[in-house]
Amino acid sequence: MVKILIDNGHGVNTTGKQSPDGRLHEYAYAREIAKRVEKCLKCKGYDVERIVPEEFDISLSIRCKRVNDICRKVGSKNVLVVSIHNNAVGSDGKWYSARGFTAHVGLNASANSKRLAACLWNKAIELGLKGNRAVPNEKYITQNLAICRDTLCPAVLTENLFQDNKEDVDFLLSEEGKTAITTLHVEGIIDYINNVAK
Ligand SMILES: [Zn+2]
């Protein structure tokens, strides 16, 4: 069985990373979604673990080590990691117009990392979360990201709408929004496991 690892990104002591009106804090939002994703996948019988149970910031090198320790134990091909975030245009306390979901992979991403990103992207589009960002044909954005670059298994970082877009924040904080963000991860990961990770 594939071991699903969820990284909830930043900690309570990470500065910035919030909506201009202070209603959404990225660390708290990512944790809430990570817990919902974990619970939902566990209910469906999947093996899930959050790699950052702590509330405070855990360095990327330690987060990558936690993932890789599991990869070495059960085999990299039997593991995947998704790191949950909210996007932002700036960090200057202003609202911006960029909206929507994007999936990101590392510069050295494996074919399976790209397939996992595409599964998540497809679900996000199905759920109407495309937004107004220029979207690459590949369904993911390639970036130098430690959690993707330095882990041994398929790895994707999701930017779940913009914490400095007013409409996105309203949606993210609604029950409808939380359900949609949770569902895109749960169903995207299951699609990947059923169709790719054989
Ligand atoms: Zn982030």
Side-chain angles (χ1 to χ4, degrees):
M1 186 191 283
V2 176
K3 187 155 184 85
I4 301 162
L5 303 181
I6 306 293
D7 172 36
N8 31 227
H10 314 285
V12 64
N13 51 328
T14 309
T15 51
K17 312 278 187 194
Q18 65 176 64
S19 62
D21 57 9
R23 283 187 301 150
L24 185 148
H25 290 260
E26 185 180 352
Y27 87 91
Y29 194 81
R31 267 168 188 67
E32 183 175 353
I33 296 299
K35 285 175 188 168
R36 287 179 182 231
V37 170
E38 177 189 31
K39 190 175 168 205
C40 196
L41 283 167
K42 276 187 175 163
C43 283
K44 294 175 188 288
Y46 291 91
D47 182 4
V48 195
E49 191 175 322
R50 285 194 300 122
I51 62 162
V52 184
E54 300 92 339
E55 288 296 310
F56 51 89
D57 208 16
I58 299 297
S59 72
L60 277 161
S61 61
I62 292 176
R63 284 189 263 154
C64 290
K65 184 179 181 304
R66 288 179 182 178
V67 173
N68 289 339
D69 284 348
I70 293 166
C71 287
R72 290 194 183 93
K73 206 159 76 185
V74 304
S76 300
K77 67 174 177 28
N78 302 315
V79 182
L80 66 84
V81 61
V82 177
S83 185
I84 298 175
H85 292 255
N86 301 117
N87 216 338
V89 173
S91 54
D92 52 4
K94 296 195 176 92
W95 296 108
Y96 287 90
S97 60
R99 300 188 67 177
F101 174 89
T102 46
H104 302 247
V105 298
L107 299 177
N108 60 344
S110 64
N112 278 359
S113 291
K114 294 172 181 172
R115 291 181 185 120
L116 174 57
C119 289
L120 293 159
W121 166 256
N122 288 338
K123 282 292 163 192
I125 299 316
E126 257 180 63
L127 292 161
L129 305 176
K130 183 174 178 182
N132 60 7
R133 286 215 100 189
V135 171
N137 296 328
E138 293 84 4
K139 304 184 175 185
Y140 47 79
I141 294 169
T142 305
Q143 248 184 328
N144 189 17
L145 299 163
I147 197 72
C148 296
R149 183 192 63 217
D150 297 338
T151 47
L152 300 167
C153 59
V156 175
L157 185 149
T158 60
E159 293 284 12
N160 295 282
L161 317 191
F162 282 78
Q163 58 193 308
D164 53 7
N165 178 281
K166 182 79 164 55
E167 291 77 17
D168 272 3
V169 169
D170 287 343
F171 179 74
L172 285 167
L173 292 173
S174 69
E175 189 51 41
E176 184 197 357
K178 289 175 185 178
T179 301
I181 301 296
T182 303
T183 302
L184 92 82
H185 287 89
V186 168
E187 293 187 359
I189 288 168
I190 291 174
D191 263 9
Y192 172 83
I193 289 172
N194 287 342
N195 297 306
V196 182
K198 292 289 183 192

